[in-house]
Amino acid sequence: MKLPILLIALVAMVAAKSAPGRLAARYDHFRVYQLTIETDLQMEELKKIHEHISVHFLNELGAAGHKYNVIVGPLFHRALEKTLKFLEIVYEVIVDDLQKLIDESSVGDDSQMEWETYHSLDTIYDWIDQECAAHDYLECKVIGQSYEGRDIKSIKLSKRSGNKAIFLEGNIHAMEWISSATVTFLLNQLINSEDPEMQRLSEEYDWIVVPMVNPDGFVYTHEVERLWRKNRRPNGYRNETGDCYGIDMNRNFDYHWGGAGWNIDEPCDHWFGGEKPNTEVEIISLQNFVSSFEDGYIRSYMAYHAYGQYVLLPYGHSNTEFPPNYEQMKRIAAAFSDAAADVYGSTFTYGASGLLNYVVSGAAKDWAYGVKNIPFTCTVELRDKGTFGFFLPSNQITEVGLEVTAGLKALVNKAAEEGIFD
């Protein structure tokens, strides 16, 4: 089985043992190139570039007319640039030393939970337990265990009977640390903020939060490989480097599963969607948890991801098919975008993910809409648009939290105006 995005040479260069407390995989002097793909021919050639250059694509390859980020080791800088010039692909080096950036966005003081640095799973879970013990309106459950036996925790905030619920999901992709950081920021605002509007939202709506869907992968990004995306179940395949691990769990939901997506059928690739839908214990636990609530109770499902600054709506499997209430959902997403931009100027593009981003099947938001009939679902792709990408410095966590909080307030109010919670 081939490994098209991360070749043996790259694996060998980054997998050397490191000092205690440091990731085993290192990317010293690896560059991140941002490529502007303007034509279909350039895209076809880009998809074949791994045949002679070791590259690691950070984005799923879709259509022309988009920018794509790739990681390339120092041995291949010159070869890549020569090839890009030959193909007339415009490029920019946006990160000159990836390891330096990874070090700058690594976990800092992990002694207690705050939102100035990234944290380990233990610190995040300890904070959840502390908040649950301190507030009787919080109901906290373990909704299941991961493949490696780690808890998947949930928090339900309910201050008043009869409320409709909003569901927040985080860190289904291991490397997207800003996801769980933002979801816990929002949860902290709902619990502890003195802002009257946040207090009102915590009174008038129930909030159900699963901040860490992929605990195994998340721990792996802290201890072994910062670029890991999937969960950690051995998937039964091998390649030249050994056993292949993991499923992209946001490609594993049983709604138009397997219909489209970059390399979703490559078991050793980052975007492998599984041999069939609903194969992962983490996904089954999440689905069972959502299904444990009565129909019509959860009225919004929001999954938080990185990166790109989008509010992605159903559907992902098509760029020609749209939900019956698509125009309504766009108005709600527009409210988020406008309010978030007011804080720091971050612009969030909104619309169907298959139309705006790329066509891909098996995502949580589509399952929540298409199977569970939740009337407003979305994937919020957080900062930034590619300068830092998955390695957003920790000094931006609070800013992201504040702009998303503003967006969330406006989104919920617009959704109420549109009758979503009726």
Side-chain angles (χ1 to χ4, degrees):
M1 183 62 63
K2 64 181 179 179
L3 181 59
I5 62 168
L6 191 57
L7 298 184
I8 301 170
L10 186 147
V11 172
M13 282 188 287
V14 301
K17 286 188 176 181
S18 58
R22 300 171 70 184
L23 289 172
R26 292 188 59 81
Y27 295 89
D28 298 282
H29 308 298
F30 278 63
R31 289 177 178 171
V32 180
Y33 289 79
Q34 186 170 84
L35 316 181
T36 301
I37 305 301
E38 298 174 337
T39 69
D40 291 339
L41 177 59
Q42 288 177 338
M43 176 56 71
E44 289 306 310
E45 292 300 320
L46 181 61
K47 289 179 179 179
K48 296 186 291 186
I49 205 167
H50 68 272
E51 295 173 1
H52 62 282
I53 298 173
S54 292
V55 298
H56 181 131
F57 291 113
L58 284 171
N59 320 101
E60 289 143 296
L61 299 186
H66 295 275
K67 297 180 185 293
Y68 297 92
N69 289 2
V70 300
I71 298 172
V72 180
L75 296 181
F76 295 96
H77 294 167
R78 184 175 299 178
L80 177 70
E81 292 173 10
K82 182 178 179 180
T83 301
L84 295 176
K85 289 175 182 177
F86 176 78
L87 296 172
E88 298 183 338
I89 294 175
V90 176
Y91 70 88
E92 177 185 2
V93 178
I94 58 174
V95 177
D96 194 56
D97 187 341
L98 179 57
Q99 188 60 46
K100 182 179 179 182
L101 180 58
I102 289 173
D103 292 341
E104 290 173 352
S105 63
S106 62
V107 172
D109 181 3
D110 203 34
S111 59
Q112 61 180 3
M113 189 69 172
E114 40 69 44
W115 289 269
E116 300 294 335
T117 188
Y118 293 107
H119 293 289
S120 66
L121 181 67
D122 286 345
T123 295
I124 294 170
Y125 275 3
D126 286 347
W127 174 76
I128 290 171
D129 293 344
Q130 291 165 11
E131 292 297 324
C132 290
H135 304 283
D136 59 8
Y137 56 80
L138 297 179
E139 180 184 359
C140 299
K141 292 182 178 180
V142 174
I143 66 172
Q145 274 76 38
S146 65
Y147 172 78
E148 295 180 339
R150 294 182 176 90
D151 288 344
I152 303 171
K153 295 190 175 186
S154 71
I155 308 96
K156 177 185 174 185
L157 184 158
S158 182
K159 295 182 177 179
R160 190 179 68 183
S161 62
N163 286 343
K164 297 296 186 179
I166 298 165
F167 198 104
L168 308 181
E169 169 228 293
N171 242 132
I172 198 169
H173 288 147
M175 67 194 298
E176 299 172 8
W177 289 5
I178 190 62
S179 169
S180 55
T182 301
V183 170
T184 54
F185 184 99
L186 294 173
L187 180 60
N188 186 56
Q189 293 292 301
L190 290 164
I191 296 171
N192 296 312
S193 174
E194 296 181 359
D195 173 23
E197 181 66 359
M198 290 303 290
Q199 291 180 351
R200 183 184 70 81
L201 293 181
S202 73
E203 292 279 353
E204 295 185 1
Y205 303 93
D206 290 356
W207 296 82
I208 305 167
V209 184
V210 180
M212 185 62 62
V213 179
N214 186 5
D216 293 349
F218 186 73
V219 170
Y220 195 74
T221 63
H222 284 259
E223 296 181 351
V224 181
E225 168 58 86
R226 180 63 180 86
L227 275 59
W228 192 257
R229 175 181 174 91
K230 302 182 286 183
N231 68 354
R232 290 295 302 163
R233 180 178 69 84
N235 61 35
Y237 288 84
R238 292 178 59 85
N239 64 9
E240 297 90 341
T241 65
D243 291 335
C244 298
Y245 287 78
I247 306 295
D248 183 338
M249 295 195 291
N250 207 42
R251 305 289 179 266
N252 194 240
F253 286 82
D254 193 8
Y255 186 76
H256 288 269
W257 172 88
W262 163 250
N263 277 357
I264 59 171
D265 57 351
E266 290 287 348
C268 300
D269 211 342
H270 287 296
W271 298 285
F272 180 47
E275 291 189 322
K276 58 183 180 179
N278 291 347
T279 57
E280 306 314 293
V281 294
E282 298 91 343
I283 295 306
I284 296 300
S285 295
L286 180 65
Q287 291 181 358
N288 288 343
F289 182 55
V290 173
S291 299
S292 69
F293 300 100
E294 65 181 12
D295 292 344
Y297 171 61
I298 300 173
R299 307 298 290 170
S300 176
Y301 185 110
M302 286 175 267
Y304 288 84
H305 286 248
Y307 57 92
Q309 295 174 203
Y310 291 100
V311 183
L312 299 175
L313 305 171
Y315 298 115
H317 67 269
S318 172
N319 56 17
T320 58
E321 180 185 353
F322 302 95
N325 68 328
Y326 180 56
E327 294 301 321
Q328 179 191 56
M329 286 200 285
K330 283 204 299 183
R331 293 191 294 270
I332 296 168
F336 177 100
S337 178
D338 291 344
D342 286 342
V343 183
Y344 296 106
S346 300
T347 57
F348 285 79
T349 306
Y350 55 90
S353 59
L355 188 64
L356 290 183
N357 212 348
Y358 43 79
V359 177
V360 68
S361 302
K365 74 177 189 314
D366 291 346
W367 173 84
Y369 184 86
V371 175
K372 299 308 297 180
N373 298 312
I374 298 172
F376 181 83
T377 71
C378 69
T379 296
V380 180
E381 298 280 359
L382 302 163
R383 283 195 196 179
D384 56 9
K385 293 191 173 183
T387 301
F388 297 108
F390 296 117
F391 316 106
L392 194 74
S394 57
N395 61 12
Q396 294 191 39
I397 296 172
T398 296
E399 288 189 4
V400 173
L402 291 172
E403 66 192 9
V404 173
T405 297
L408 182 65
K409 293 177 186 177
L411 183 153
V412 173
N413 290 334
K414 183 63 176 177
E417 179 185 315
E418 292 280 345
I420 292 295
F421 300 104
D422 292 347

